[in-house]
Amino acid sequence: MPSRARLQMSLAIEPLPLKAPFAIAGHRFEAMPALVATLSDDDGHRGRGEACGVYYLDDHPASMHAALEARREAIEAGIDRAALQTLLPPGGARNALDCALWELQAQRERRPVWALAGLAPPRPLPTAFTLGADAPAQVAAGARALAQARLLKLKLDGDAELDIARIAAARAARPDVRLMVDANQAYTLQRIAPLIAALADHRVELLEQPFARGREADLDALDCPVAVAADESVQGLDELDALAGRCDFVNLKLDKCGGLTEALAMAARARALGLRCMVGNMLGTSWAAAPAFALGQLCELVDLDGPSFIQTDRSPAVVYRDGLIHCPDEVWGGAGGVASRSAADAAASTPPPQVPRP
């Protein structure tokens, strides 16, 4: 950011209870607490950033809050995004502050974040809708209930027989949708063969993070008929190169890499390495989804249904309609009242992009 004027930072931890418990491999969530960082200046400009952190790396709102408080003096002296990259490591604390700085700059320069980032006016994006690792009958009911979904993502838990039953139940309930599955590190190379055999049978298009972080070399021996995505295996820019040739997609999340600034650099580097990009977030409200939506304009796959799990979302909020996520500038990252082309405006004049099949 060009200006180094003094800033005021406020921090708040919000509990964000979920509408219903959500199960994945090794975890069951009833809430996804988030840290909200707000930066303001003496001219009345304001920027907001929300981050949930990375639970499997013990990156939680309380520790994120402490990290920002410990650096309050440097932040309020007038930090910019470039300085932030060295002030804090990747993770939720840097994400919250980075996103706040983006929105603050948008208000100061009276241009929306997508324009500051050099992106085209944003379009609504086809998004995955996620079903937890529940009993097959519950998965089938959930698949039917998500009537608008064009793409469903099923959480798996490493019990191959049960996971295959979940996939079969979802496919039987929704023969019309595209399917992908997310193992969240639950499998080993020695135990995954039955699952792999079932993927093509049920027209599953993508397998996300089958093996534990640190076991990326096992992907070299994986004979998989569908595309493979890395999530937990890729946190920031420095981990991308090691995945080239080992997977097809990388799942970019702002909480992991520490904000939109690094995520944009990751998308560019992934392209150079021949990797396709997927964007996701760690649940969270529309304030977390909106910066990821901007990144999603550069991605082939989008998984931004997080706000739909939260009991009470922001207002205004992202909108889900006909399997697409719409994010008007007014949600986050707008130009502070200056007329700018929102996602809704773009939808009226531009057809939504078709997500390439893996």
Side-chain angles (χ1 to χ4, degrees):
M1 296 172 64
S3 173
R4 299 298 294 269
R6 289 196 62 83
L7 302 172
Q8 298 84 48
M9 179 178 69
S10 64
L11 303 172
I13 294 176
E14 301 188 6
L16 301 188
L18 306 184
K19 294 175 181 175
F22 180 66
I24 68 171
H27 295 273
R28 182 177 175 86
F29 300 97
E30 295 186 0
M32 185 57 77
L35 174 71
V36 175
T38 303
L39 294 175
S40 57
D41 63 20
D42 292 339
D43 295 321
H45 304 116
R46 182 190 65 172
R48 302 158 298 173
E50 177 189 298
C52 296
V54 186
Y55 66 91
Y56 54 85
L57 297 179
D58 202 27
D59 182 32
H60 298 291
S63 60
M64 292 150 47
H65 187 288
L68 292 180
E69 281 290 358
R71 295 161 177 83
R72 178 178 287 275
E73 183 176 356
I75 292 166
E76 294 192 333
I79 195 169
D80 58 19
R81 291 196 310 276
L84 178 61
Q85 294 297 104
T86 57
L87 182 70
L88 286 165
R94 195 173 80 188
N95 177 30
L97 206 63
D98 183 74
C99 290
L101 285 166
W102 274 102
E103 188 176 50
L104 181 66
Q105 183 181 358
Q107 291 204 4
R108 284 173 165 174
E109 297 189 17
R110 300 177 70 78
R111 291 193 297 155
V113 164
W114 57 261
L116 296 176
L119 301 173
R123 300 175 292 180
L125 298 171
T127 183
F129 290 85
T130 305
L131 294 167
D134 299 311
Q138 188 175 345
V139 170
R144 287 189 292 267
L146 289 169
Q148 68 162 307
R150 305 179 185 187
L151 173 63
L152 288 177
K153 174 169 153 177
L154 309 183
K155 291 289 190 177
L156 309 181
D157 67 2
D159 181 329
E161 182 177 356
L162 184 54
D163 283 339
I164 293 168
R166 290 174 174 126
I167 295 168
R171 176 52 75 203
R174 293 295 305 275
D176 57 310
V177 299
R178 300 171 60 202
L179 278 182
M180 58 184 185
V181 298
D182 183 3
N184 285 117
Q185 312 182 75
Y187 280 87
T188 65
L189 187 60
Q190 294 72 32
R191 295 192 300 105
I192 201 170
L195 177 71
I196 295 297
L199 296 180
D201 291 344
H202 296 293
R203 292 184 286 123
V204 175
E205 297 183 11
L206 180 136
L207 169 63
E208 186 176 351
Q209 195 66 41
F211 306 138
R213 175 172 169 80
R215 300 292 303 183
E216 288 74 29
D218 288 351
L219 294 170
D220 298 338
L222 180 65
D223 183 11
C224 187
V226 306
V228 175
D231 180 3
E232 288 91 340
S233 286
V234 56
Q235 299 295 311
L237 184 62
D238 62 335
E239 295 184 339
L240 271 177
D241 286 42
L243 291 170
R246 284 183 163 163
C247 60
D248 304 285
F249 282 84
V250 286
N251 192 341
L252 309 180
K253 294 179 179 176
L254 275 61
D255 270 310
K256 293 191 301 180
C257 71
L260 182 59
T261 300
E262 181 149 334
L264 291 168
M266 290 180 73
R269 181 59 182 163
R271 293 273 180 265
L273 293 170
L275 293 164
R276 287 178 281 180
C277 294
M278 174 179 178
V279 61
N281 62 355
M282 308 294 283
L283 297 181
T285 74
S286 288
W287 288 353
F293 176 82
L295 177 65
Q297 305 297 315
L298 303 175
C299 297
E300 289 89 350
L301 282 174
V302 174
D303 180 17
L304 293 179
D305 63 336
S308 69
F309 289 84
I310 305 298
Q311 282 187 17
T312 304
D313 198 6
R314 310 295 180 181
S315 180
V318 299
V319 175
Y320 299 100
R321 186 169 59 248
D322 192 28
L324 307 178
I325 178 173
H326 303 249
C327 185
D329 289 343
E330 293 75 21
V331 175
W332 172 92
V338 176
S340 58
R341 192 180 185 200
S342 69
D345 297 330
S349 59
T350 308
Q354 296 300 307
V355 181
R357 293 182 181 272

